[in-house]
Amino acid sequence: MSSSFGRIFRISTFGESHCAGVGVVVDGVPPRMSLSAADIQIQLDRRRPGGNKLGTERNEADQVQILSGIENGLTLGTPIGMLVKNKDQRPGDYGSMSQIPRPSHADYTYQQKYGIHASSGGGRSSARETIGRVAAGAIAEKYLYEEYGIEIVAWVSSVGDYDTNNIDMEIITRAEVDANEIRCPDTQAAEKMTGEIIAAREAKDSVGGVVSCVCRNLPAGLGEPVFDRLEAKLAHAMLSLPATKGFEIGSGFSGSRMRGSLHNDPFIQKGDRLGTTTNYSGGVQGGISNGESVYFRVAFKPPATIGQEQQTVDFSGNATILAAKGRHDPCVVPRAIPIVETMTALVLADLALIQKIRN
Amino acid sequence: MSSSFGRIFRISTFGESHCAGVGVVVDGVPPRMSLSAADIQIQLDRRRPGGNKLGTERNEADQVQILSGIENGLTLGTPIGMLVKNKDQRPGDYGSMSQIPRPSHADYTYQQKYGIHASSGGGRSSARETIGRVAAGAIAEKYLYEEYGIEIVAWVSSVGDYDTNNIDMEIITRAEVDANEIRCPDTQAAEKMTGEIIAAREAKDSVGGVVSCVCRNLPAGLGEPVFDRLEAKLAHAMLSLPATKGFEIGSGFSGSRMRGSLHNDPFIQKGDRLGTTTNYSGGVQGGISNGESVYFRVAFKPPATIGQEQQTVDFSGNATILAAKGRHDPCVVPRAIPIVETMTALVLADLALIQKIRN
Amino acid sequence: MSSSFGRIFRISTFGESHCAGVGVVVDGVPPRMSLSAADIQIQLDRRRPGGNKLGTERNEADQVQILSGIENGLTLGTPIGMLVKNKDQRPGDYGSMSQIPRPSHADYTYQQKYGIHASSGGGRSSARETIGRVAAGAIAEKYLYEEYGIEIVAWVSSVGDYDTNNIDMEIITRAEVDANEIRCPDTQAAEKMTGEIIAAREAKDSVGGVVSCVCRNLPAGLGEPVFDRLEAKLAHAMLSLPATKGFEIGSGFSGSRMRGSLHNDPFIQKGDRLGTTTNYSGGVQGGISNGESVYFRVAFKPPATIGQEQQTVDFSGNATILAAKGRHDPCVVPRAIPIVETMTALVLADLALIQKIRN
Amino acid sequence: MSSSFGRIFRISTFGESHCAGVGVVVDGVPPRMSLSAADIQIQLDRRRPGGNKLGTERNEADQVQILSGIENGLTLGTPIGMLVKNKDQRPGDYGSMSQIPRPSHADYTYQQKYGIHASSGGGRSSARETIGRVAAGAIAEKYLYEEYGIEIVAWVSSVGDYDTNNIDMEIITRAEVDANEIRCPDTQAAEKMTGEIIAAREAKDSVGGVVSCVCRNLPAGLGEPVFDRLEAKLAHAMLSLPATKGFEIGSGFSGSRMRGSLHNDPFIQKGDRLGTTTNYSGGVQGGISNGESVYFRVAFKPPATIGQEQQTVDFSGNATILAAKGRHDPCVVPRAIPIVETMTALVLADLALIQKIRN
């Protein structure tokens, strides 16, 4: 009973990797918004595994079908149901693994929790589950942009040991991010990251990475103390994504090494509002947006499914060797970009609508 | 409307730094538990600012009063109300700052959000707000230990640039943590950390740090996919604490630099259950506990309130100099230890009770 | 953002009367339940408007499609998505009414609330919205019967001024209820009710009625004081149904006229549990089931859409005459039977799962 | 875990009849409202058992203490904690009953649910629990009146078989209601009701009654389809009160006997809005307020605690005679008036704040 997220702009997702389809019901979408399937398809297409040399070869159209909540191109304020059919199921690829819980995958824990687990693919732990989130988040993004001019841009800031340099968060665009397959706008770093991913794939291995994200043009006042602080909701959203291991906002872990006299962000007048001269806070103070850009980073582990042979045990505890067949990404961060953006949008839309109560 | 946390074991906190008192209502506590104020006072005392050379000099007894939910030493299954009176209010200390939003503090954002803010102290953004959480979490801890033998131990793993070495998470105890004021069980590191905090205080400055935490003896199966994964709830809980900037579980950000063949935790038989030979996952897979120890780290920024003069502007945008008077900690991590532990307990108790539905 | 119901067994419905389809996501269904579309279709078929002389002539197959959450005939414990396509949309029938808010219908209030309303049919206020509830409730019913032997039976107890007599709630079955079209197991009353409905239809009018419902074999202990008392949740569920105006449990309004010495239900030993000699309480005390049968009554107003000419005004306030074309039921209570039953099941399944936390 | 009510204007109550105190945390109160203890005490005083010939003789000052959320007479937008101490505990009065579950009281069901029950008084099932609701609801009332001019007036409309006549809901005031002890503004009926209550008390018996309530000046648009319809939330709120057995809105059960041509409320222009010529709907259509007065009725059973001897069994099933000692009301409806009003205010304030999201 935890497939819902948000309080006012609230989504409920459904679907396993190999059932009839995956989808979402989005409740709380403001009425009278112009909205079409094309608005949603954009991010679904960015999320979709391409046929390129970096991603998996699974080819899924992932066309969204809007089931309800819109009439004549306008939202009614009622729940928007959306469905993406699973066309390419191929459960057989995974069949041989069903008696062996894949190391660092969720087979074992789902079995322990529910006494049953999806026999193929990852069930709800599959990345395919994120389709519903992305479809819903695309609506949230549109609302935030039209209502506030909010822009959300994520990019790959590291793969393995290769990091970006000199990304200017205040101006970076999605077009720049999408300029290469790795979705890293630092061209030199992108080249090294690509090499690392190819090397991992050739070694039948996988590699982790970090996604950075910035939100610009947020009004001050978003975030609900004390338990639904903006950063708490973002952290919750990001750590609910498959394969994530860490979240940091503003100065993050490196901020823990600083002195307050340096870390504090002094106020200055910026046009008709107060702003700050630095932004170690990452755009939040006391859990509430202050009008500066919100930025954060999310750590993704290397994917658990690898082609290499692994020494492990089956569900009965018998030693065995596992080598994954089937399709699998050597690195998830390029595809994670739209997922991080849309989850961010879900958090912000919810908090923005809640703040309307006080206006 | 976001002063509540948890779904089944659910807390609602109240109270500002300088009102009549702070407290909490805890709903969903299992009935027939033996419980007294002494059980709760232990963690409140650990949280309380001591009169020592590291903490603030504010002296508050912080005696908890149980208002309801217990009869003859047993819980009734009904809400437990708890109150800690504010004895030492001294709002005058802060009076001079009320027209100047403190840099990196919540004065400005609360004013933007609510159109009003507590004239003294930090209101709800004060660390004093955490008293209700700690009181509630102490009940959760007791439940988890009695029902499952779960042990939760946190410690200071860094202050500024000084880090611990060689902490064995599987055996570390609270007694070892409390053996020094800094709550760092690595004696050599503790000495350097103490020096750093004293140096910061003498410079009228502050310094950040990192708290580590381990949860032992968790049963497999806790955590609710997809949005209430164990790590998502922990991240939410930790980032809801004042002054936090980051969270990582298991391998965390360093895991993003690894290859899957190393990062994967192979299964082996451990007694009557499956376990893993390594634990890069941090005890969770697919958002569900796997029976191994859960461990994570939380980054705290340097406190925003410092005695040094800071160039900033007042609410009207006029340039001014601010130098905080009043009491303030140069470093929060030693006092954060019981807060991190009890917030962890709140997350685990909630997830453990939810999992009972499936038994 | 209020298309969800339940805390643990939680449903989220979507769909208007004339969009692509209506459906539901059911979260919290216990894992490892045997479940097929046929289990759900039973109540959908009972809910469906028949081609008979009492109901509307709209012919909709209303075949449910299960989208997720089930594998090899067993529930996975993950969300179950279900969809029923809208085949017979005919929006033109309603087109002429779009500028005139139908008296006692929701056109005007939806427009006031959202600034927009579905141009045809009733949008979300249409009885068609209840399809999602019924599909979800059919799962809840199956769970309750298999886990506890709980039986839920509803019947028509009045239409207009015609009331049932001598219904024995402890033994009445659905087969007896379905023995006639009016779903009234008192044959003599059923005949009069049928006459009343036909008379109303011939007068291009409509008529109200009352549905009674009994739940047998409930264990003691269901219901959550103080705000989620069993009767409060049932009242909430029933008054959330279109066209309902009243709810009473046990002695209900007539109980308000009694003395306590008569109304009190004395305890006696019944097998291995305590029972009561009378049941004015309706199976609940202090909001918690006591092991006796729970029974209640729900009042339905006459349908607002009638063929008679009505003097009213359009949205601009201009006087006009409205006479509904299109299909419409002269009386909703026969079709409301499975809706009342399945909403009851949703309430009980949720409370039964919550009570498991204490076992 | 169900001692909370509301989504945005959200209350969490605590306290048993004989613990240290009863109270409430109110989250979501709009900031910058003028508010003092006196604003709250008004309804607490109306709720308090008087020393008069109709009520119990228990004398409790029931002075509310505001713990948090207000500074300099203005709300901060943060949680408002409130406490009323239990001064007059006298648990001994009930001691003799602890082995015998009182017929139609909650002793037995609490024991079945929790495996424990408060040894004296009714614990959480006591009417004393409603103090927290009333304190919170008084804030909601003040907000609704100041923001919208909403007036909520309840009165006793029947006691036993004695009913009111000729109450004009559009103009009745609280002053008129409070003009007599029975809180029935129909003087002749009030006299008969008083006689009935005295007769019941002299017979060591109790008697039920009905409370009516009207809400005037509601804006159109309040109520959230489909599950949080205005009438569904009101029904939930009312049936969550101790001793309630029924709820009806507008035409209610009598409406189920009507034809649609009579029951429909035709629209007319009323000033600058549409209104209706009749109001059988009770001010709601499709679960949303339409701008007409909302009115409803609540049935209360006769109190279960009576002085007469009752044949029953103890917890072990042994036959016994029970005759209640201690204080007890022969009829609860006069004291229920402020409770019904404040619960209504809680529902409306929550829905009004939610609707702000769409403005």
Side-chain angles (χ1 to χ4, degrees):
Chain A
M1 62 286 189
S2 61
S3 286
S4 296
F5 187 74
R7 292 182 58 182
I8 298 295
F9 195 106
R10 183 170 178 84
I11 72 170
S12 299
T13 71
F14 61 90
E16 284 77 41
S17 49
H18 290 79
C19 66
V22 294
V24 66
V25 178
V26 194
D27 206 356
V29 177
R32 304 184 307 280
M33 256 182 78
S34 163
L35 191 69
S36 70
D39 293 320
I40 292 149
Q41 198 62 44
I42 296 169
Q43 286 284 44
L44 286 178
D45 287 347
R46 291 182 80 214
R47 181 209 159 278
R48 189 164 52 88
N52 60 42
K53 65 181 177 294
L54 297 176
T56 104
E57 292 164 32
R58 186 175 185 176
N59 186 1
E60 299 160 295
D62 288 349
Q63 289 297 314
V64 70
Q65 182 186 3
I66 295 179
L67 301 171
S68 65
I70 296 178
E71 196 180 88
N72 300 322
L74 293 177
T75 58
L76 292 168
T78 59
I80 298 178
M82 293 185 284
L83 176 64
V84 171
K85 291 183 183 164
N86 286 337
K87 291 184 179 170
D88 178 13
Q89 303 194 11
R90 293 196 295 180
D93 278 6
Y94 294 93
S96 61
M97 298 194 293
S98 69
Q99 295 310 310
I100 309 170
R102 288 169 289 174
S104 293
H105 217 296
D107 304 325
Y108 175 71
T109 51
Y110 269 67
Q111 182 66 37
Q112 289 297 109
K113 182 170 197 69
Y114 297 110
I116 189 172
H117 73 286
S119 67
S120 59
R124 286 290 277 170
S125 75
S126 161
R128 197 154 175 79
E129 171 273 325
T130 60
I131 283 180
R133 311 184 190 214
V134 170
I139 301 175
E141 282 191 341
K142 190 167 197 279
Y143 170 71
L144 291 168
Y145 183 74
E146 292 180 353
E147 183 85 2
Y148 301 99
I150 292 173
E151 296 169 340
I152 303 168
V153 182
W155 65 96
V156 171
S157 53
S158 80
V159 168
D161 274 328
Y162 301 98
D163 301 301
T164 51
N165 275 308
N166 304 320
I167 306 295
D168 184 343
M169 294 189 300
E170 298 302 326
I171 58 171
I172 191 172
T173 66
R174 287 189 185 176
E176 290 166 344
V177 171
D178 284 351
N180 58 55
E181 281 184 344
I182 201 92
R183 288 191 171 127
C184 170
D186 172 340
T187 319
Q188 287 186 311
E191 207 165 308
K192 290 174 186 163
M193 292 172 181
T194 304
E196 171 66 6
I197 293 175
I198 291 171
R201 195 177 54 183
E202 286 176 354
K204 296 188 177 178
D205 209 340
S206 64
V207 63
V210 172
V211 171
S212 291
C213 186
V214 65
C215 316
R216 296 188 293 252
N217 303 330
L218 255 75
L222 307 193
E224 296 292 311
V226 300
F227 289 110
D228 289 347
R229 290 170 179 243
L230 178 48
E231 60 267 46
K233 293 293 285 183
L234 286 172
H236 186 145
M238 297 306 143
L239 269 293
S240 80
L241 290 171
T244 52
K245 303 305 285 183
F247 169 88
E248 57 181 4
I249 187 164
S251 63
F253 278 90
S254 69
S256 74
R257 299 186 174 272
M258 294 169 68
R259 288 272 178 102
S261 55
L262 176 59
H263 192 275
N264 280 356
D265 297 316
F267 287 104
I268 52 166
Q269 189 75 25
K270 284 189 178 176
D272 60 351
R273 68 173 181 93
L274 294 197
T276 62
T277 57
T278 54
N279 187 13
Y280 290 107
S281 298
V284 285
Q285 280 150 353
I288 304 168
S289 65
N290 65 1
E292 300 294 318
S293 292
V294 167
Y295 64 96
F296 58 88
R297 287 162 30 95
V298 186
F300 289 80
K301 70 171 185 177
T305 307
I306 57 176
Q308 277 188 34
E309 294 194 341
Q310 301 177 79
Q311 176 72 46
T312 185
V313 300
D314 63 18
F315 274 110
S316 305
N318 304 309
T320 186
I321 299 289
L322 182 72
K325 296 167 195 166
R327 59 219 161 199
H328 45 270
D329 267 331
C331 185
V332 298
V333 286
R335 282 183 63 196
I337 297 304
I339 305 175
V340 165
E341 289 169 346
T342 49
M343 283 305 295
T344 303
L346 289 172
V347 169
L348 296 180
D350 195 38
L351 294 174
L353 288 169
I354 291 174
Q355 179 61 6
K356 285 209 163 192
I357 293 164
R358 298 193 188 82
N359 295 340
Chain B
M1 62 287 191
S2 61
S3 286
S4 295
F5 187 75
R7 292 181 58 182
I8 298 294
F9 195 106
R10 184 169 178 84
I11 72 170
S12 299
T13 70
F14 61 90
E16 284 78 41
S17 51
H18 291 81
C19 67
V22 293
V24 66
V25 178
V26 194
D27 207 355
V29 177
R32 305 183 307 278
M33 256 182 78
S34 164
L35 191 69
S36 70
D39 293 319
I40 292 151
Q41 197 63 43
I42 295 169
Q43 285 286 45
L44 286 178
D45 287 347
R46 290 182 81 212
R47 183 209 157 278
R48 188 164 54 85
N52 60 44
K53 66 180 175 294
L54 297 175
T56 103
E57 293 165 33
R58 188 173 184 179
N59 185 1
E60 300 161 294
D62 287 350
Q63 290 296 312
V64 69
Q65 182 186 1
I66 295 178
L67 300 171
S68 66
I70 296 178
E71 195 179 89
N72 300 321
L74 292 177
T75 57
L76 293 168
T78 59
I80 298 178
M82 293 186 282
L83 176 64
V84 171
K85 290 183 184 164
N86 286 337
K87 290 184 177 170
D88 179 12
Q89 304 194 9
R90 293 195 294 179
D93 279 7
Y94 294 92
S96 60
M97 298 194 291
S98 69
Q99 295 311 310
I100 309 171
R102 288 169 289 175
S104 292
H105 217 294
D107 304 325
Y108 175 71
T109 51
Y110 269 68
Q111 181 66 38
Q112 289 297 107
K113 183 171 196 68
Y114 297 110
I116 189 173
H117 72 286
S119 66
S120 58
R124 286 289 278 170
S125 76
S126 160
R128 196 153 177 80
E129 172 272 327
T130 60
I131 284 180
R133 311 184 190 214
V134 171
I139 301 174
E141 283 192 339
K142 190 166 196 282
Y143 170 71
L144 292 167
Y145 183 74
E146 293 180 352
E147 185 83 1
Y148 300 99
I150 292 173
E151 296 170 340
I152 303 167
V153 182
W155 64 96
V156 171
S157 53
S158 80
V159 168
D161 275 328
Y162 300 99
D163 301 301
T164 50
N165 275 308
N166 305 318
I167 306 294
D168 185 343
M169 293 189 301
E170 298 301 327
I171 58 171
I172 190 173
T173 65
R174 287 189 185 173
E176 290 165 345
V177 171
D178 284 352
N180 58 55
E181 279 183 346
I182 203 93
R183 286 189 172 131
C184 171
D186 173 339
T187 318
Q188 288 185 311
E191 208 164 305
K192 289 173 186 163
M193 292 171 181
T194 304
E196 172 65 7
I197 293 176
I198 290 171
R201 195 177 55 183
E202 285 176 355
K204 296 187 177 178
D205 209 338
S206 65
V207 64
V210 173
V211 171
S212 292
C213 185
V214 65
C215 316
R216 296 187 294 251
N217 304 329
L218 254 74
L222 307 193
E224 296 292 312
V226 298
F227 291 110
D228 290 347
R229 290 171 177 242
L230 178 48
E231 60 267 44
K233 293 293 285 184
L234 285 172
H236 186 144
M238 296 308 143
L239 270 294
S240 79
L241 290 172
T244 52
K245 303 305 286 184
F247 169 89
E248 57 180 4
I249 188 164
S251 63
F253 278 89
S254 69
S256 73
R257 300 186 174 272
M258 294 168 69
R259 289 272 177 101
S261 55
L262 176 59
H263 193 275
N264 280 357
D265 299 314
F267 287 104
I268 52 166
Q269 189 77 23
K270 284 188 177 178
D272 59 352
R273 68 173 181 94
L274 294 196
T276 61
T277 58
T278 54
N279 187 13
Y280 290 108
S281 298
V284 285
Q285 281 150 355
I288 304 168
S289 64
N290 65 1
E292 300 295 316
S293 292
V294 167
Y295 63 95
F296 58 87
R297 288 162 30 96
V298 186
F300 288 80
K301 69 172 187 177
T305 307
I306 57 176
Q308 279 187 32
E309 292 194 345
Q310 299 176 82
Q311 178 71 47
T312 187
V313 299
D314 64 18
F315 273 109
S316 306
N318 304 309
T320 186
I321 300 289
L322 182 72
K325 297 168 195 167
R327 59 224 158 192
H328 46 271
D329 267 331
C331 185
V332 298
V333 285
R335 282 183 63 195
I337 297 304
I339 305 174
V340 166
E341 288 167 347
T342 50
M343 284 306 293
T344 303
L346 289 171
V347 168
L348 297 180
D350 195 38
L351 294 174
L353 288 169
I354 291 173
Q355 178 61 4
K356 285 208 163 194
I357 293 164
R358 299 193 189 81
N359 294 339
Chain C
M1 62 288 188
S2 61
S3 286
S4 295
F5 188 74
R7 292 181 58 182
I8 298 294
F9 195 105
R10 183 169 179 85
I11 72 170
S12 299
T13 71
F14 61 90
E16 284 77 40
S17 50
H18 291 79
C19 67
V22 294
V24 67
V25 179
V26 195
D27 206 355
V29 177
R32 305 184 307 280
M33 258 182 77
S34 164
L35 191 70
S36 71
D39 293 320
I40 292 150
Q41 198 62 44
I42 296 169
Q43 286 285 44
L44 286 178
D45 287 346
R46 292 183 79 213
R47 181 209 160 278
R48 190 164 52 86
N52 61 43
K53 64 181 178 294
L54 296 176
T56 103
E57 292 165 34
R58 186 174 184 178
N59 185 3
E60 298 160 294
D62 287 349
Q63 289 297 312
V64 70
Q65 182 186 3
I66 295 179
L67 301 171
S68 66
I70 296 178
E71 195 179 89
N72 299 321
L74 292 177
T75 59
L76 292 169
T78 59
I80 297 177
M82 293 186 284
L83 176 65
V84 171
K85 290 183 182 163
N86 286 335
K87 290 184 179 171
D88 178 13
Q89 303 194 11
R90 293 195 295 180
D93 280 8
Y94 293 93
S96 60
M97 298 194 291
S98 69
Q99 295 311 310
I100 308 170
R102 288 169 289 174
S104 293
H105 216 295
D107 303 325
Y108 175 70
T109 51
Y110 268 68
Q111 182 66 38
Q112 290 296 110
K113 183 170 196 67
Y114 297 109
I116 189 173
H117 73 287
S119 67
S120 59
R124 286 290 278 169
S125 76
S126 160
R128 196 152 176 81
E129 171 273 326
T130 60
I131 284 180
R133 310 185 190 215
V134 170
I139 301 174
E141 283 191 341
K142 189 167 198 280
Y143 170 72
L144 291 168
Y145 183 73
E146 292 180 353
E147 183 85 2
Y148 301 100
I150 293 173
E151 296 170 341
I152 304 168
V153 182
W155 65 95
V156 171
S157 53
S158 80
V159 168
D161 274 328
Y162 301 98
D163 301 301
T164 50
N165 275 309
N166 304 321
I167 306 295
D168 185 344
M169 294 189 298
E170 298 301 327
I171 58 170
I172 190 173
T173 66
R174 287 189 185 175
E176 291 166 345
V177 170
D178 284 352
N180 58 56
E181 279 184 346
I182 202 91
R183 289 195 170 123
C184 171
D186 173 341
T187 319
Q188 288 186 312
E191 209 165 305
K192 290 174 186 162
M193 291 173 182
T194 304
E196 170 67 5
I197 292 176
I198 291 171
R201 196 178 53 183
E202 286 175 354
K204 295 187 178 178
D205 208 340
S206 64
V207 62
V210 172
V211 171
S212 292
C213 186
V214 64
C215 316
R216 298 187 292 252
N217 303 331
L218 254 73
L222 306 193
E224 295 293 310
V226 298
F227 290 109
D228 289 348
R229 290 169 179 244
L230 178 47
E231 59 267 45
K233 293 293 284 183
L234 285 172
H236 185 145
M238 297 306 144
L239 270 294
S240 80
L241 290 171
T244 51
K245 304 304 285 184
F247 169 89
E248 57 181 4
I249 188 165
S251 63
F253 278 90
S254 68
S256 74
R257 299 186 173 272
M258 294 168 68
R259 289 272 178 103
S261 54
L262 176 59
H263 192 276
N264 280 357
D265 297 316
F267 287 104
I268 52 166
Q269 189 75 24
K270 284 188 178 178
D272 60 351
R273 68 173 181 93
L274 294 196
T276 62
T277 57
T278 54
N279 187 14
Y280 290 107
S281 298
V284 285
Q285 280 149 354
I288 303 167
S289 65
N290 66 2
E292 301 294 318
S293 291
V294 167
Y295 64 95
F296 57 88
R297 287 161 32 95
V298 186
F300 288 80
K301 68 171 188 178
T305 306
I306 57 176
Q308 278 187 34
E309 293 193 343
Q310 301 177 78
Q311 177 70 49
T312 185
V313 299
D314 63 18
F315 273 110
S316 305
N318 304 309
T320 186
I321 299 289
L322 182 73
K325 296 167 195 166
R327 59 222 160 195
H328 46 270
D329 267 331
C331 184
V332 297
V333 287
R335 282 183 64 197
I337 297 304
I339 305 175
V340 165
E341 288 168 347
T342 49
M343 284 305 294
T344 303
L346 289 172
V347 168
L348 296 181
D350 195 39
L351 294 174
L353 288 169
I354 291 175
Q355 178 62 4
K356 285 208 163 193
I357 293 165
R358 299 194 187 81
N359 295 339
Chain D
M1 63 286 189
S2 61
S3 286
S4 295
F5 188 74
R7 291 181 59 182
I8 299 293
F9 195 106
R10 183 168 178 84
I11 72 170
S12 300
T13 71
F14 62 89
E16 285 78 41
S17 51
H18 290 79
C19 68
V22 293
V24 66
V25 178
V26 194
D27 207 355
V29 177
R32 305 183 307 278
M33 257 182 77
S34 164
L35 191 69
S36 70
D39 292 320
I40 292 151
Q41 198 62 43
I42 295 169
Q43 284 286 45
L44 286 178
D45 287 346
R46 289 181 81 213
R47 183 210 156 279
R48 189 164 54 85
N52 60 42
K53 66 181 175 295
L54 297 175
T56 103
E57 292 165 33
R58 187 174 184 178
N59 186 0
E60 299 160 294
D62 287 349
Q63 290 296 314
V64 70
Q65 183 186 1
I66 295 178
L67 301 171
S68 66
I70 296 178
E71 195 180 88
N72 300 322
L74 293 177
T75 57
L76 293 168
T78 59
I80 297 178
M82 293 186 283
L83 177 63
V84 171
K85 290 183 182 163
N86 286 337
K87 290 186 178 169
D88 179 13
Q89 304 193 10
R90 293 195 295 180
D93 279 7
Y94 293 93
S96 60
M97 299 194 291
S98 69
Q99 295 311 308
I100 309 171
R102 287 168 289 174
S104 292
H105 216 294
D107 303 325
Y108 175 70
T109 51
Y110 269 67
Q111 182 66 37
Q112 289 296 109
K113 182 170 196 68
Y114 297 110
I116 189 173
H117 72 286
S119 66
S120 58
R124 286 289 279 170
S125 75
S126 160
R128 194 151 177 82
E129 172 272 327
T130 61
I131 283 180
R133 311 184 190 215
V134 170
I139 300 175
E141 284 191 340
K142 189 166 197 283
Y143 170 71
L144 291 168
Y145 183 75
E146 293 180 353
E147 185 83 2
Y148 300 99
I150 293 173
E151 295 169 339
I152 303 168
V153 182
W155 65 95
V156 171
S157 53
S158 80
V159 168
D161 275 328
Y162 300 99
D163 301 302
T164 50
N165 275 307
N166 304 320
I167 305 295
D168 184 343
M169 293 190 300
E170 297 301 329
I171 58 171
I172 190 173
T173 66
R174 287 190 184 173
E176 290 166 344
V177 171
D178 284 351
N180 57 54
E181 280 183 345
I182 202 92
R183 288 192 170 126
C184 170
D186 172 341
T187 318
Q188 287 185 313
E191 207 164 308
K192 289 173 186 163
M193 292 171 181
T194 304
E196 171 65 6
I197 293 175
I198 291 171
R201 194 177 57 182
E202 285 176 355
K204 294 187 177 179
D205 209 338
S206 64
V207 63
V210 173
V211 171
S212 291
C213 185
V214 65
C215 316
R216 297 187 293 252
N217 304 330
L218 254 73
L222 307 194
E224 297 292 311
V226 297
F227 290 109
D228 290 347
R229 289 169 179 245
L230 178 48
E231 60 267 44
K233 293 293 285 185
L234 285 172
H236 187 145
M238 296 307 144
L239 269 294
S240 79
L241 291 172
T244 52
K245 303 304 286 183
F247 169 88
E248 57 181 4
I249 188 164
S251 63
F253 279 90
S254 69
S256 73
R257 299 185 174 273
M258 294 169 68
R259 289 271 178 102
S261 55
L262 176 59
H263 192 276
N264 280 357
D265 298 315
F267 286 104
I268 52 166
Q269 188 77 23
K270 285 189 177 176
D272 59 353
R273 67 173 181 94
L274 294 196
T276 61
T277 57
T278 54
N279 187 13
Y280 290 107
S281 298
V284 285
Q285 280 150 353
I288 303 168
S289 65
N290 65 1
E292 301 294 317
S293 292
V294 167
Y295 63 95
F296 58 87
R297 289 162 28 97
V298 186
F300 288 81
K301 70 172 187 176
T305 306
I306 57 176
Q308 278 187 33
E309 292 193 345
Q310 300 176 80
Q311 179 70 46
T312 186
V313 299
D314 63 19
F315 273 108
S316 306
N318 305 308
T320 187
I321 299 289
L322 182 72
K325 297 168 193 165
R327 58 222 159 193
H328 47 270
D329 267 330
C331 185
V332 298
V333 285
R335 281 183 64 197
I337 297 304
I339 304 175
V340 166
E341 289 167 347
T342 49
M343 283 306 294
T344 303
L346 289 172
V347 169
L348 297 180
D350 195 37
L351 294 174
L353 288 169
I354 291 174
Q355 178 61 5
K356 285 207 161 194
I357 293 165
R358 298 193 189 82
N359 295 340

